[in-house]
Amino acid sequence: MQIVYEYHDVNPSMHLENFVAEKINKLKEKYDFILRADVFFKKENTSSDDTGLICNIRLSMPGPRMFAEASHGNFESSISESINDLERQLKKRKEKMRNY
């Protein structure tokens, strides 16, 4: 599976890429129909310290793409929330696939 990283107003980080790859590979083990992941790291100017570091993840697979976004004070929390959101979406799609 291919994972593509894009950084907007953020310095590239191997730590973040390894963290995301580990999480997405766990999803890939459960849901083998995932073909590609696009991960976007963004920094937003906010007055709050609890938000502003955004992680967007888009998964490509047969059918419509899935997308999740989260904004927290650190990228690890944003990544975890995005992955959890995608896992809920994937579980729902897999249930629908079984019904047909």
Side-chain angles (χ1 to χ4, degrees), residues 5-24:
Y5 302 96
E6 288 190 30
Y7 296 88
H8 299 278
D9 299 325
V10 178
N11 293 328
S13 166
M14 284 305 296
H15 169 71
L16 291 176
E17 290 181 16
N18 291 334
F19 188 72
V20 170
E22 179 182 322
K23 299 268 188 185
I24 289 178

Side-chain angles (χ1 to χ4, degrees), residues 14-64:
M14 284 305 296
H15 169 71
L16 291 176
E17 290 181 16
N18 291 334
F19 188 72
V20 170
E22 179 182 322
K23 299 268 188 185
I24 289 178
N25 286 330
K26 285 182 184 177
L27 284 181
K28 175 71 174 157
E29 289 175 14
K30 284 185 181 179
Y31 307 99
D32 59 346
F33 52 86
I34 299 172
L35 303 174
R36 175 183 162 148
D38 297 306
V39 182
F40 304 92
F41 296 107
K42 300 178 186 176
K43 191 172 190 178
E44 182 179 67
N45 292 331
T46 62
S47 58
S48 172
D49 291 339
D50 297 334
T51 60
L53 299 179
I54 302 169
C55 176
N56 299 334
I57 302 175
R58 181 176 60 212
L59 296 179
S60 298
M61 62 198 73

